[in-house]
Amino acid sequence: MQWYVVASFLTVLTSSQGILTTLSQSNGGYKYDYATIPFLAEVFKLIVSSIFLWRECKKSPPPRMTTEWKSVRLYPIPSVIYLIHNNVQFATLTYVDTSTYQIMGNLKIVTTGILFRLFLKRKLSNLQWIAICLLAVGTTTSQVKGCGEASCDSLFSSPIQGYMLGVLSACLSALAGVYTEFLMKKNNDTLYWQNVQLYTFGAIFNMGRLFVDDFRGGFENGPWWNRLFNGYTITTWLVVLNLGSTGLLVSWLMKYADNIVKVYSTSMAMLLTMVLSVFLFTFKPTLQLLLGIIICIMSLHMYFAPPSSLVDLPVPAKAAPQTVIEVSVDHKADS
């Protein structure tokens, strides 16, 4: 399967994630425990990957699977990074408003490119760097509200701690993605064995979060497994399946493409979500949204198009054909 097909599916699924989550609400809130969604999504990804791995193991020759502890011990690290990232996100929101937080979240586009270059040693051309910066500008432009909004006045009035935490959050998000790509490409193990390792630890860490929530609440609502499916509807299950399928597509891109493709997919998904919200909800289109979409499309073309189609190189003049003159030489000796 071509990477751009997977990236297109990822864009559609990511954009529908927010819409499905909104539709799963009831009277502006959730009747289910939202913390159970990531846990069930990890379990879903683990089951799907295990089934595909089992099918591969039945073939001959069997797939490559590295089982040494020095390799397996690397797979909990992305879960630890995401755990720290989630706590930093909550800390950031205590200092900045939601609009500022969303705009600062676009920093992860640039930080991903920087870490992509530093840690994975992947060289990007000057045009590609400009394209990445344009993508960050385009997504930010689409999120900026009108100057009559209250958020416009508070955009640069938050405490310095909020901006520092926002930068740290962007770096952690980029680090988790780049490190995951490193894991997926460090050897020739089958994708499904790598997924099984990733999602096993992901399920364990999400289960740990549910236990922590129980302790914080004093087990007022009982242990988490007793309320695991409370309030679930068909839409809620679609949210779980959507989130799980998105994770599987991301792991495929990490294995066979790279982080930059994932960044473009998720950024385009955000714009697609805003466009769909115009038709599904009460969201009103703005000039900033239109400008942001145009800038992001320009960035997409600039990054992936061949350099020859972006720069008009001068055509070298054809050299005039040289005339070959044959000279007859008389080798006879003078008499």
Side-chain angles (χ1 to χ4, degrees):
M1 188 180 295
Q2 299 294 331
W3 65 264
Y4 48 82
V5 176
V6 177
S8 300
F9 277 119
L10 178 60
T11 299
V12 174
L13 288 179
T14 304
S15 64
S16 59
Q17 180 68 39
I19 295 174
L20 287 173
T21 303
T22 302
L23 294 176
S24 69
Q25 294 179 353
S26 178
N27 297 324
Y30 301 104
K31 289 187 176 181
Y32 56 90
D33 185 356
Y34 191 75
T36 61
I37 297 291
F39 170 70
L40 291 176
E42 292 293 322
V43 172
F44 169 75
K45 291 185 288 186
L46 178 58
I47 293 174
V48 172
S49 299
S50 299
I51 292 174
F52 279 104
L53 179 62
W54 173 72
R55 291 180 60 184
E56 278 197 346
C57 289
K58 295 177 65 177
K59 298 179 181 179
S60 181
R64 176 184 170 88
M65 294 187 295
T66 304
T67 57
E68 287 85 357
W69 171 243
K70 65 179 181 179
S71 176
V72 176
R73 68 185 179 183
L74 300 176
Y75 283 84
I77 296 178
S79 298
V80 175
I81 297 175
Y82 280 121
L83 179 64
I84 299 174
H85 174 250
N86 291 336
N87 287 297
V88 171
Q89 281 183 313
F90 283 110
T92 304
L93 286 169
T94 61
Y95 293 100
V96 303
D97 57 89
T98 305
S99 299
T100 304
Y101 172 77
Q102 290 178 341
I103 291 174
M104 291 184 63
N106 296 318
L107 286 173
K108 66 184 178 184
I109 297 174
V110 179
T111 54
T112 297
I114 295 173
L115 296 180
F116 184 75
R117 175 70 181 91
L118 293 177
F119 290 101
L120 299 181
K121 308 299 182 183
R122 300 289 295 275
K123 183 176 177 58
L124 299 175
S125 67
N126 292 335
L127 283 174
Q128 288 176 322
W129 277 115
I130 295 174
I132 291 175
C133 293
L134 274 179
L135 180 64
V137 171
T139 52
T140 302
T141 301
S142 66
Q143 294 171 334
V144 173
K145 297 182 179 180
C147 290
E149 304 279 348
S151 60
C152 191
D153 299 327
S154 62
L155 182 58
F156 299 105
S157 60
S158 301
I160 187 64
Q161 297 94 322
Y163 299 113
M164 294 177 63
L165 288 171
V167 173
L168 177 60
S169 175
C171 292
L172 287 172
S173 176
L175 178 61
V178 170
Y179 184 83
T180 302
E181 181 178 346
F182 161 75
L183 280 182
M184 305 303 281
K185 292 179 177 176
K186 73 183 182 69
N187 55 36
N188 293 324
D189 284 0
T190 175
L191 170 65
Y192 304 116
W193 168 238
Q194 294 175 316
N195 280 349
V196 165
Q197 296 173 87
L198 276 176
Y199 302 144
T200 296
F201 290 110
I204 292 173
F205 276 90
N206 277 280
M207 185 188 302
R209 178 194 171 183
L210 293 173
F211 275 113
V212 170
D213 290 344
D214 285 343
F215 278 107
R216 287 178 177 175
F219 290 91
E220 182 179 353
N221 299 320
W224 62 269
W225 56 84
N226 286 345
R227 63 177 191 278
L228 183 60
F229 305 118
N230 289 351
Y232 269 55
T233 62
I234 295 178
T235 307
T236 312
W237 282 110
L238 289 177
V239 173
V240 174
L241 294 177
N242 184 292
L243 185 59
S245 302
T246 299
L248 292 171
L249 292 179
V250 168
S251 68
W252 192 97
L253 286 178
M254 294 296 184
K255 181 73 171 179
Y256 301 111
D258 55 48
N259 260 283
I260 305 300
V261 175
K262 176 210 167 191
V263 165
Y264 269 94
S265 296
T266 53
S267 299
M268 295 301 174
M270 180 193 67
L271 297 175
L272 181 58
T273 301
M274 298 174 72
V275 172
L276 292 176
S277 298
V278 173
F279 301 97
L280 297 177
F281 307 111
T282 58
F283 182 80
K284 295 182 180 180
T286 61
L287 177 61
Q288 293 90 329
L289 175 59
L290 177 61
L291 293 175
I293 292 175
I294 294 174
I295 295 173
C296 288
I297 292 175
M298 292 170 59
S299 168
L300 182 68
H301 177 68
M302 183 178 293
Y303 187 91
F304 292 103
S308 58
S309 66
L310 299 174
V311 180
D312 293 329
L313 299 176
V315 180
K318 294 183 179 180
Q322 296 181 353
T323 304
V324 179
I325 303 176
E326 295 184 1
V327 179
S328 177
V329 180
D330 189 1
H331 292 283
K332 293 182 180 180
D334 295 336
S335 57

